[in-house]
Amino acid sequence: MLELTLDQVTKQYGRRTVVDGFSCTLTHGVYGLLGNNGAGKTTLLRMVCGILELSGGEILLDGCNIRRMGAEYRRMLGYLPQNFGYYPEFTARRFLLYMAALKAIPKDLAEAKVEELLELVGLATEKNHKVKGFSGGMVRRLGVAQALLNDPEVLILDEPTAGLDPKERIRFRNIISALSRDRLVILSTHIVSDVEYIADQILLMRDGRLYGSGSMEGLTVGLRGKVWECYVKPEQAEDYQSRFSVSNLRNTDKGVRLRIVSDGCPLEGAVPADPDLEDVYLYYFREQSSPGVDTRSPF
């Protein structure tokens, strides 16, 4: 079983520290790297992929520095970047064969592998169609296929479901779950539901640092006693939203039901509620709410 170790990984641009002493050890399974936009997720993944030099710390695969491993490490790695580039005039099949050639995969092996992957990601019937006519979800699935051409043991996916509709997001999650049986998969996102359903372990990243980690069950158990529900009058709801971290608001016959994340009881009459991953996210990132933070499930 592979072991990927990030030891005090740091990246600085001048005086600005983007990744700050990030440390963790990963083995097989799906790891959800969850954080708001600007947390340093993409920079961290680019260092894991060997694209960016580290300013400090080191990244080890089974005890060997990935820089010293060189081509051996790259052969074990598959990467789907956030902004996946492709040739719009290529057909899906031609594009994958081209990528296979860049990865030095022998032609006879490449042709069989391309057919296998097109079937896996649900593009077999579209293989002779030009990529420029593909939907966003189809392009992302093509991106997964190119990342799998070399049958990687380490698969890195950066914001893989960004811009996808609910149906494509579900299809994408199912593909990732199927791939994780014998691989180490790191999935970076700011969309809670992407990791809630498929991640074995969740890494919470904020300001370039690892702020917490664990299974969904473990993280939510740690938040017991910090999530509350109460009913307020409609005219009070806006004021309470400005004063508290509200993870959910719903109008009911009894009034407006608020779900509040707070270390202590926020209002008289509030009762404890069972925490979920959205509550965990809001608790860790409640001081950083912005248009780039999506704590809502897309479903």
Side-chain angles (χ1 to χ4, degrees):
M1 182 179 291
L2 288 179
E3 184 173 272
L4 183 69
T5 302
L6 283 66
D7 184 12
Q8 293 296 310
V9 172
T10 300
K11 183 63 179 179
Q12 296 174 316
Y13 293 101
R15 295 181 178 180
R16 181 175 172 234
T17 301
V18 180
V19 177
D20 189 4
F22 196 103
S23 296
C24 64
T25 298
L26 314 177
T27 56
H28 282 178
V30 178
Y31 292 84
L33 181 61
L34 187 61
N36 64 332
N37 290 336
K41 302 187 302 296
T42 293
T43 300
L44 179 68
L45 296 188
R46 286 169 66 85
M47 288 190 288
V48 172
C49 291
I51 298 170
L52 287 179
E53 293 281 355
L54 281 65
S55 301
E58 61 180 347
I59 300 174
L60 309 171
L61 185 66
D62 288 340
C64 298
N65 189 290
I66 63 170
R67 283 293 179 186
R68 289 197 294 270
M69 293 178 68
E72 180 187 356
Y73 178 66
R74 290 191 294 273
R75 283 194 294 270
M76 303 173 69
L77 182 71
Y79 177 43
L80 174 61
Q82 183 175 0
N83 298 311
F84 170 57
Y86 56 90
Y87 295 97
E89 294 297 328
F90 280 21
T91 64
R93 181 176 182 276
R94 183 184 175 195
F95 174 75
L96 291 178
L97 287 172
Y98 172 73
M99 294 301 295
L102 292 182
K103 296 185 180 187
I105 300 173
K107 187 176 180 180
D108 57 336
L109 296 178
E111 290 181 349
K113 191 66 176 178
V114 165
E115 295 298 327
E116 174 191 331
L117 291 174
L118 285 168
E119 189 70 38
L120 173 68
V121 300
L123 292 175
T125 59
E126 309 291 335
K127 65 181 180 181
N128 294 319
H129 294 172
K130 290 185 177 181
V131 182
K132 67 179 181 181
F134 284 9
S135 68
M138 293 166 71
V139 169
R140 298 308 281 177
R141 282 186 271 147
L142 185 65
V144 172
Q146 66 80 28
L148 292 170
L149 280 166
N150 55 327
D151 199 21
E153 296 179 69
V154 179
L155 183 61
I156 309 294
L157 306 170
D158 191 2
E159 298 283 356
T161 64
L164 301 189
D165 62 34
K167 183 177 179 180
E168 282 288 1
R169 182 173 279 115
I170 292 170
R171 181 199 291 265
F172 204 97
R173 288 203 308 251
N174 290 341
I175 291 172
I176 295 168
S177 292
L179 293 172
S180 67
R181 287 191 294 269
D182 55 356
R183 289 181 175 87
L184 191 167
V185 181
I186 304 176
L187 186 159
S188 166
T189 187
H190 65 282
I191 301 173
V192 172
S193 62
D194 280 353
V195 297
E196 185 174 16
Y197 291 104
I198 62 172
D200 301 300
Q201 293 286 314
I202 297 165
L203 309 174
L204 298 170
M205 188 174 188
R206 173 176 167 178
D207 297 329
R209 300 176 183 175
L210 180 64
Y211 260 66
S213 64
S215 65
M216 189 182 76
E217 292 79 9
L219 290 172
T220 53
V221 164
L223 214 66
R224 285 180 179 169
K226 301 180 188 298
V227 182
W228 309 81
E229 287 189 352
C230 60
Y231 290 89
V232 301
K233 296 178 181 179
E235 59 269 22
Q236 297 175 308
E238 185 174 345
D239 175 54
Y240 289 136
Q241 285 186 87
S242 66
R243 292 167 52 192
F244 302 109
S245 296
V246 178
S247 63
N248 187 266
L249 178 153
R250 178 172 294 181
N251 290 301
T252 73
D253 293 338
K254 297 170 60 177
V256 178
R257 187 177 70 191
L258 299 182
R259 186 178 179 93
I260 298 173
V261 179
S262 172
D263 287 314
C265 183
L267 296 170
E268 184 177 352
V271 297
D274 291 331
D276 59 26
L277 190 57
E278 289 186 354
D279 298 318
V280 172
Y281 187 99
L282 187 61
Y283 184 79
Y284 278 93
F285 302 107
R286 53 188 168 173
E287 297 174 6
Q288 295 190 331
S289 293
S290 71
V293 177
D294 185 356
T295 60
R296 296 170 296 120
S297 168
F299 304 111

